[in-house]
Amino acid sequence: MAGNRFNANQDHGVGVGLRIPHYDHIFREKPAVDWFEIISENYMVDGGRPLAMLDRIMEQYRVVQHGVSMYFGSAQAADLEHLRKLKRLVKRTGTPWLSDHLCWGSVDGTYSHDLLPLPYTWEAVEKTAARIREVQDFLEIPVAVENVSSYAAYTQSEMTEWEFLNEVVERADCGILLDVNNIYVSSVNHDFDPMEYVNAVPAERVAQMHIAGHSKYEKYILDTHDHPVIDPVWALYARAVDRCGPTPTLLEWDDRIPSFDEVWAEARKAERYLVAAQEVGAR
Amino acid sequence: MSGMSLETMQRRMLAAVMQPLTPEDTMRERNEAGERMADVAAEFVAPNDRLTAFERLEIYNRQYWFRLLGALGEDFPALRRVLGSRRFDALAVAYLKEHPSRSFTLRNLGRELVGWMRKHPEYLGRRKRLALDVARVEWACVEAFDNGELAPLTAEEIGDLHGGSRLGLQAHLQLLELDFPADDVVLELHQRERKGASEGGARPEMGEMKPEALDVERRRTWLAVHRADGSLYYRRITKEEYQTLTALGRGLGLGEALGAGFRRSRIGPAERPAALQEWFAHWAGLSWLTKPEIEERA
Amino acid sequence: MKKQLNALMLSAALAGLAVGTHVAQAQPVTQDSAKVTTAKGAGVRYAGYSMDKEKHACKGQNSCKGNGGCKSGDNGCAGKNSCKGKGGCATDGSKPPKAA
């Protein structure tokens, strides 16, 4: 699988998120998973079982780090201690690239532990891009930013979400972790055409893709990662792969986690799209 | 929101998101300053044809509390059972209001809880001291689980020791002096918790729960919570062991620490050398003794 | 006399340290190793509860304190009241959640 400079030209295919309930199965059965994505924060500890398990996984699999608390869009300076710990983990895992979310979540050192959406303003573009550059320089590996699911829009926004994403990644010169489920969730919550979003993404910057399931409520959709991927999301994924070419793809399943086999079977549905894209590329 | 800087908006929004929910788990109509939350939300959140600005902000307000209460409940499942879910939730909300997360990781969310509980006995129900002891044991487990592992003393380093030498304690070793045998209580309650956990993902059942009936008598207990091969262990220790280890941890020289260890001890002078030999052998066997941190830094 | 006792105590402690360190080095740490077994004999008990937790995920949260979501009929999850105290509310407006 051809890579690009935002995923260190790696050839990662389909992976799944590494989750504790699956440890035993993975160690016992050694399933032929191409790679695992780990949530960085779960392993940014000083010792003990989390790191021991991670080391065991790394004996047999490639891992890629995905963070949830970098908050590129928080208006204040980055937490240096956080960055130092993250870099220590980066050195341990040898992750070829690292991703986190295009969102904010902390103010004055207080953390929400949520992925709060940014207002799509020029001020946010400038500040967020500057922070991404700072993090990328510090970590010395490619960084990809992920579009988040959102449930609120801001009165101050001056552009669409995809315009905002494009402006940020251009200024930061970083990659994109394109989450097609998040695009779908936000398109329902904010009444836009998700295909227009996918078509607007700079394909050459897409380092990785996420697929996942969500929960539907009467008035909005929530990105709960507790269901299989629905057909409209597969359609977005197909279009994204069509535009970007074969791209490292990961299934997220974080709640009501089923057996490993079920999760892996769901993830592998992505393979046919990747193979098709590869064949097109080979012609 | 026009004219509001990104930083001001984020400060305003986070304050709204962190505001405690109503007893029905909805966003409050007014914030603590008396402002209508509908007006606050409308300052920066746009409505759509299905949800008002208030309702959209409320989604994040609820997520914040569900996530943080869930995380705290996972770290203190036995405390939740001792207090019952209603009292635990009230305690957790009051605690988090005073001590919101100051760390990028939820792992540290409960770090100030024991200290906060000491200052707020009104949240601890009738079994205040037991609740405090249980919380201390549970937090010790969090620390012991993923704290670092320092290299134990080598035979060569031991050969160089003298009465004035300082020793360090293993980073994951947690020492507790308790009013109750709270390790028994926590073990029992964790077992009940495990039985109630869903099969799917080791997620504890967080539904409503009455305080557990517990038959536990007050008895001074000294406990070490530590880790071996990635698993947590409790080891009951004597008062003298506790006093010696904590003295070493405070940075006292070896000779002084041995003296401090036998303060108000019933162990007669003649028996002390044998006891010490046995304790130090156990501690070294468990890698509890290390080089002191100060010397390592130097 | 006191000095003598102190010297004896120090010697005993150092002797214990040497013995324990030797035992620890001779027996590598494993879950069922002699090291832990020895310690168990000295009153060590397995804490007996998995501390494995994954607190960090990028999923949204709308469970009513873990009870599994709200019924869509209650004004989406903005309606909420029905959540509290009930296990397993519908999560997608039609089907009950899969048994966990």
Side-chain angles (χ1 to χ4, degrees):
Chain A
M1 199 157 299
N4 59 34
R5 69 184 172 100
F6 301 105
N7 55 28
N9 297 300
Q10 295 289 304
D11 62 350
H12 292 50
V14 176
V16 294
L18 181 64
R19 301 292 177 260
I20 288 169
H22 295 154
Y23 278 168
D24 286 346
H25 178 94
I26 295 166
F27 294 136
R28 196 177 55 244
E29 304 294 331
K30 301 180 175 52
V33 179
D34 195 22
W35 58 288
F36 284 107
E37 184 184 78
I38 62 162
I39 302 287
S40 300
E41 286 76 0
N42 289 332
Y43 301 92
M44 286 161 69
V45 293
D46 292 331
R49 193 169 144 82
L51 290 177
M53 294 295 104
L54 178 59
D55 288 344
R56 272 186 78 182
I57 289 287
M58 289 192 305
E59 284 170 14
Q60 306 198 29
Y61 296 98
R62 301 186 286 188
V63 302
V64 175
Q65 282 181 227
H66 177 57
V68 294
S69 60
M70 183 54 70
Y71 300 143
F72 292 122
S74 283
Q76 294 159 329
D79 176 351
L80 266 182
E81 182 58 18
H82 180 193
L83 280 174
R84 278 191 213 108
K85 287 193 169 177
L86 186 57
K87 190 163 186 175
R88 205 186 308 158
L89 186 65
V90 163
K91 286 187 172 161
R92 189 183 194 109
T93 63
T95 183
W97 74 92
L98 173 141
S99 59
D100 207 313
H101 299 81
L102 187 55
C103 70
W104 70 280
S106 60
V107 178
D108 301 325
T110 296
Y111 287 74
S112 68
H113 299 286
D114 202 346
L115 308 172
L116 301 172
L118 281 158
Y120 307 132
T121 63
W122 291 107
E123 183 196 3
V125 165
E126 297 294 343
K127 288 189 167 157
T128 307
R131 171 74 77 87
I132 296 167
R133 274 187 178 276
E134 190 186 324
V135 171
Q136 202 160 228
D137 289 347
F138 185 86
L139 296 177
E140 300 176 295
I141 54 166
V143 166
V145 294
E146 178 182 352
N147 56 297
V148 296
S149 286
S150 62
Y151 318 109
Y154 295 98
T155 53
Q156 203 182 25
S157 286
E158 298 164 307
M159 60 193 94
T160 63
E161 184 184 335
W162 53 94
E163 287 166 345
F164 179 77
L165 171 68
N166 291 358
E167 292 293 345
V168 169
V169 297
E170 280 297 324
R171 278 169 172 72
D173 192 22
C174 69
I176 295 171
L177 194 177
L178 193 67
D179 188 319
V180 287
N181 178 58
N182 286 349
I183 291 177
Y184 179 82
V185 168
S186 293
S187 77
V188 172
N189 291 341
H190 304 300
D191 302 298
F192 62 77
D193 177 2
M195 209 54 95
E196 191 180 348
Y197 192 138
V198 172
N199 285 331
V201 168
E204 71 283 0
R205 287 189 179 274
V206 176
Q208 183 189 331
M209 293 187 198
H210 268 172
I211 46 177
H214 55 254
S215 296
K216 196 174 169 198
Y217 295 91
E218 189 185 342
K219 296 187 176 184
Y220 61 93
I221 296 183
L222 204 62
D223 180 35
T224 45
H225 298 177
D226 60 351
H227 285 81
V229 182
I230 63 168
D231 287 343
V233 172
W234 282 121
L236 292 176
Y237 176 70
R239 176 60 186 151
V241 171
D242 190 38
R243 288 197 63 234
C244 306
T247 305
T249 298
L250 182 118
L251 173 72
E252 293 178 296
W253 205 310
D254 291 303
D255 209 356
R256 302 175 202 284
I257 300 175
S259 71
F260 183 86
D261 286 337
E262 198 175 325
V263 172
W264 181 222
E266 185 66 15
R268 291 193 69 183
K269 290 179 187 169
E271 283 175 355
R272 65 188 166 111
Y273 301 99
L274 296 176
V275 169
Q278 219 153 15
E279 284 168 0
V280 169
R283 268 181 228 149
Chain B
M1 183 175 158
S2 60
M4 192 187 284
S5 72
L6 181 65
E7 187 173 342
T8 303
M9 184 284 288
Q10 291 182 348
R11 195 170 282 127
R12 192 99 169 112
M13 181 161 168
L14 188 61
V17 164
M18 290 169 53
Q19 184 175 249
L21 300 170
T22 66
E24 291 75 35
D25 289 338
T26 61
M27 188 157 79
R28 291 184 179 181
E29 293 297 324
R30 288 181 185 274
N31 64 17
E32 285 185 341
E35 296 172 294
R36 288 179 68 240
M37 286 309 296
D39 296 337
V40 171
E43 285 175 22
F44 44 87
V45 177
N48 67 6
D49 59 354
R50 284 159 288 160
L51 293 166
T52 63
F54 178 98
E55 287 169 329
R56 289 182 130 184
L57 186 58
E58 183 178 51
I59 294 171
Y60 288 102
N61 185 203
R62 286 160 53 86
Q63 287 208 136
Y64 172 80
W65 284 103
F66 295 158
R67 178 175 281 112
L68 267 64
L69 291 175
L72 205 62
E74 278 181 14
D75 282 344
F76 297 95
L79 176 63
R80 190 166 181 272
R81 283 178 176 263
V82 168
L83 297 178
S85 58
R86 282 190 186 186
R87 197 178 286 281
F88 179 84
D89 286 349
L91 169 143
V93 169
Y95 164 70
L96 289 170
K97 225 178 130 196
E98 216 171 298
H99 292 282
S101 174
R102 304 286 293 172
S103 165
F104 68 89
T105 170
L106 284 165
R107 184 270 187 207
N108 298 328
L109 196 61
R111 183 169 274 168
E112 310 294 335
L113 183 63
V114 169
W116 182 88
M117 284 169 69
R118 287 189 213 279
K119 288 185 201 153
H120 294 280
E122 69 273 21
Y123 286 96
L124 308 189
R126 286 166 54 201
R127 294 175 290 185
K128 291 180 175 41
R129 283 187 178 275
L130 177 63
L132 202 56
D133 276 0
V134 165
R136 291 177 68 204
V137 171
E138 293 199 302
W139 182 250
C141 288
V142 172
E143 294 280 14
F145 180 67
D146 60 13
N147 274 1
E149 177 125 21
L150 303 172
L153 288 171
T154 63
E156 198 176 24
E157 287 161 347
I158 291 167
D160 292 337
L161 294 177
H162 51 81
S165 301
R166 290 179 179 182
L167 300 181
L169 297 184
Q170 184 53 258
H172 55 72
L173 173 64
Q174 307 294 307
L175 300 166
L176 300 171
E177 184 176 26
L178 304 163
D179 289 324
F180 287 85
D183 51 337
D184 286 343
V185 177
V186 170
L187 268 175
E188 166 66 21
L189 293 180
H190 281 183
Q191 270 161 17
R192 290 186 206 173
E193 184 74 11
R194 197 162 36 172
K195 278 181 196 157
S198 68
E199 292 170 41
R203 180 174 167 167
E205 178 54 61
M206 299 295 278
E208 189 146 342
M209 180 187 291
K210 288 190 171 155
E212 295 273 355
L214 290 165
D215 184 21
V216 54
E217 283 182 16
R218 206 165 159 164
R219 189 174 79 237
R220 185 55 62 100
T221 302
W222 293 272
L223 186 70
V225 184
H226 68 110
R227 191 174 75 224
D229 196 27
S231 295
L232 291 188
Y233 293 89
Y234 300 133
R235 182 173 186 266
R236 290 273 181 92
I237 53 177
T238 62
K239 179 180 80 174
E240 289 80 4
E241 283 180 280
Y242 174 85
Q243 290 182 163
T244 307
L245 285 165
T246 50
L248 288 170
R250 285 199 306 273
L252 263 59
L254 190 51
E256 268 186 291
L258 300 185
F262 288 98
R263 218 159 51 96
R264 293 187 196 148
S265 174
R266 288 183 189 165
I267 300 175
E271 300 156 67
R272 292 178 186 183
L276 278 169
Q277 185 165 348
E278 189 186 330
W279 298 339
F280 272 79
H282 279 308
W283 301 342
L286 293 164
S287 304
W288 285 2
L289 299 174
T290 67
K291 281 195 287 187
E293 259 187 274
I294 301 163
E295 280 179 24
E296 272 189 353
R297 281 194 204 117
Chain C
M1 183 71 183
K2 196 178 175 191
K3 268 189 180 173
Q4 203 178 0
L5 175 64
N6 287 348
L8 262 176
M9 283 167 50
L10 183 62
S11 302
L14 293 175
L17 250 180
V19 169
T21 301
H22 179 74
V23 169
Q25 284 171 346
Q27 293 163 328
V29 186
T30 64
Q31 178 79 28
D32 303 315
S33 73
K35 178 174 170 180
V36 172
T37 310
T38 306
K40 274 179 180 164
V44 170
R45 293 181 300 168
Y46 180 50
Y49 180 72
S50 168
M51 291 291 295
D52 273 339
K53 292 167 196 164
E54 276 165 341
K55 292 182 173 175
H56 302 283
C58 31
K59 68 187 170 79
Q61 299 234 337
N62 210 1
S63 65
C64 298
K65 293 177 187 165
N67 283 337
C70 312
K71 286 188 178 171
S72 62
D74 298 325
N75 191 23
C77 239
K80 342 79 258 74
N81 288 0
S82 73
C83 291
K84 227 177 171 185
K86 288 185 186 176
C89 315
T91 53
D92 62 1
S94 57
K95 292 178 284 186
K98 276 193 279 184

